[in-house]
Amino acid sequence: MGAELLCLPQDSGAGHLSFYRKLCYGIGGVPNQVASSAIAFYLQLFLLDVAQIPAAQVSLVLFGGKVSGAAADPLAGFLINRSRRTGSGRLMPWVLGCMPFIALAYFFLWFLPPFTTLRGLWYTTLYCLFQALATFFQVPYTALTMLLTPNPKERDSATAYRMTLEMAGTLMGATVHGLIVSGAHGSHRCKEDTLPGEGAVSPNATRLYFIAATVVALTYPVDQVDPSTPASGQGVGFLAGLGLTVRHRPYLKLVISFLFISAAVQVEQSYLVLFCTHASQLQDHVQGMVLTILVSAVLSTPMWEWVLQRFGKRMSALGICAMVPFAILLAAVPMVPVAYVVAFVSGLSIAVSLLLPWSMLPDVVDDFQLQHQHGPGLETIFYSSHVFFTKLGAGGGGSSSFAGYESGACRQSEQVVVTLKVLIGAVPTSMILIGLCILMVGPTPKVPSRANSRSLGR
């Protein structure tokens, strides 16, 4: 299934990347995004309504998984930095070796165990395992960006390819998983006179989620990453490099700002489905809204890449603000036309919020190299630390608990409805504004000249 692309056309020009090499690199991240998308939109609903886990335990499951993934980032950077170089470099063996284990962890994450008393522990363990394994895939995979070419524009183009294909994977994950499990939470089982606490989950829900998990897990064997990327050199040690990177001000500004922005996006994703199901009359439009968000994000990514090149990366960050008034509007006026407009604009903002940090990070690494003149090998340290802060923000954003939620109920209390409105309106709005304020303060990193780019690539 999907053989590795071992023979690719040689690139020509100063750091130029061929279309096939960019495409091959971009495809590598698709399976991970397929699984992450299904988890982001549906895991919380599965744990609450199908696994029948109390809301407080669900929050612990989600928070524990995110913390596990974040904690694995520096460990991944340390182990990769100390690993031996092979014929495919130091990064590719980690990328390829993690895939089958990630698929297994994802599959059992949606499995309903026969026991009930320890289900919280079961899902916490599997989610922590999935997040940790995904980290050991993501850190070396994203660090390959710095090794593809020393040309900043070509790196930005490769990043745009990767983000477009990853968001296409996000779309595929939400679509496939959502269509399969759509019969598990249909509103036709909830009548107008239904009392709070009465069931709204199909008896076939367990089987539907099991089928969806199988389909998504099978996408991992088709992963394709270009193994012809040059091997990363053995540079400064991990702990010494980590101490240098965390003192680099442009890097700190980047990771802290997108810590808040990533948390905002995670809050929006985690609670949108719950809001539409329990705090509005939009149950029948959940799948349509999710697809609208993802299609908008996928189609707008090439546009945002053009905006980045034309107007600059910091100016492009203002596009994230577009979702702020619309998120508040959805919480205040949860009507069908408004919901689809909000979904479309949210997709635009999510696209630039995902593309921008990965496009800015290579510039920060180059800026650091120009100032300190260290040899190669620091890319895994920068990328593992960046992924750590991103997951830390996502963990904080996606794990908020709220009292009063009744698992499987058709109707929730007014307290739950108000809490969900706050979680999709005021909370992401405040986080986005804080993150953008941090990002806009201070000078931008220096982009190296072509001569400096060639010297940094050696």
Side-chain angles (χ1 to χ4, degrees), residues 13-251:
H16 175 72
L17 295 175
S18 67
F19 165 78
Y20 295 103
R21 196 170 189 185
K22 294 175 186 176
L23 183 65
C24 185
Y25 172 64
I27 290 174
V30 171
N32 229 25
Q33 293 303 311
V34 171
S36 297
S37 172
I39 287 174
F41 283 106
Y42 293 102
L43 180 60
Q44 187 164 225
L45 192 64
F46 169 78
L47 295 176
L48 288 169
D49 288 353
V50 179
Q52 300 284 303
I53 297 176
Q57 290 187 28
V58 171
S59 295
L60 291 176
V61 171
L62 299 178
F63 182 74
K66 296 297 184 180
V67 170
S68 173
D73 288 310
L75 179 61
F78 174 77
L79 294 177
I80 293 170
N81 188 260
R82 293 181 62 86
S83 60
R84 296 179 180 179
R85 185 187 302 176
T86 67
S88 299
R90 288 190 295 120
L91 303 180
M92 284 300 303
W94 291 91
V95 172
L96 300 176
C98 288
M99 288 189 295
F101 299 103
I102 301 174
L104 286 174
Y106 178 86
F107 175 80
F108 284 106
L109 182 61
W110 302 92
F111 176 76
L112 194 66
F115 49 84
T116 58
T117 55
L118 296 177
R119 280 184 182 176
L121 180 61
W122 167 272
Y123 289 111
T124 300
T125 302
L126 284 170
Y127 193 39
C128 288
L129 181 62
F130 172 83
Q131 289 287 352
L133 290 170
T135 294
F136 276 87
F137 172 91
Q138 186 179 15
V139 169
Y141 170 66
T142 54
L144 284 171
T145 307
M146 294 299 300
L147 305 179
L148 290 173
T149 174
N151 189 315
K153 287 189 176 181
E154 287 296 300
R155 284 199 307 249
D156 288 345
S157 178
T159 300
Y161 273 75
R162 175 170 71 85
M163 296 308 302
T164 301
L165 289 169
E166 284 187 352
M167 279 186 270
T170 300
L171 172 62
M172 185 171 74
T175 302
V176 172
H177 190 100
L179 288 175
I180 294 175
V181 305
S182 59
H185 305 279
S187 62
H188 62 275
R189 284 178 294 277
C190 293
K191 301 179 181 179
E192 292 294 329
D193 57 350
T194 301
L195 297 175
E198 293 189 17
V201 180
S202 168
N204 296 323
T206 302
R207 181 177 60 86
L208 294 174
Y209 274 96
F210 182 81
I211 294 172
T214 303
V215 172
V216 173
L218 288 176
T219 64
Y220 275 94
V222 304
D223 198 1
Q224 302 180 38
V225 183
D226 177 15
S228 61
T229 302
S232 173
Q234 187 74 33
V236 66
F238 177 80
L239 295 179
L242 182 62
L244 291 171
T245 58
V246 297
R247 291 196 297 268
H248 191 54
R249 294 190 65 181
Y251 182 66

Side-chain angles (χ1 to χ4, degrees), residues 355-435:
L355 174 64
L356 196 58
W358 295 111
S359 182
M360 296 178 72
L361 184 57
D363 296 341
V364 172
V365 177
D366 283 343
D367 180 75
F368 176 87
Q369 294 281 26
L370 288 173
Q371 292 185 27
H372 298 275
Q373 296 298 323
H374 284 282
L378 282 173
E379 61 278 342
T380 55
I381 300 174
F382 272 100
Y383 277 81
S384 64
S385 301
H386 176 70
V387 174
F388 168 78
F389 282 104
T390 301
K391 289 184 177 179
L392 189 64
S399 59
S400 302
S401 63
F402 51 94
Y405 185 91
E406 296 184 40
S407 299
C410 282
R411 294 173 53 193
Q412 299 292 335
S413 66
E414 186 63 25
Q415 178 187 2
V416 172
V417 172
V418 172
T419 302
L420 289 171
K421 288 183 177 182
V422 172
L423 287 171
I424 70 156
V427 172
T429 295
S430 60
M431 290 180 174
I432 287 173
L433 295 178
I434 292 172

Side-chain angles (χ1 to χ4, degrees), residues 256-295:
I256 293 175
S257 62
F258 279 97
L259 185 149
F260 285 97
I261 294 171
S262 298
V265 172
Q266 185 65 35
V267 166
E268 195 77 14
Q269 286 184 323
S270 295
Y271 292 102
L272 178 64
V273 174
L274 283 176
F275 171 81
C276 293
T277 304
H278 297 299
S280 64
Q281 300 298 317
L282 300 172
Q283 299 97 323
D284 295 331
H285 299 275
V286 169
Q287 185 67 14
M289 290 180 62
V290 170
L291 293 180
T292 301
I293 291 173
L294 298 177
V295 169

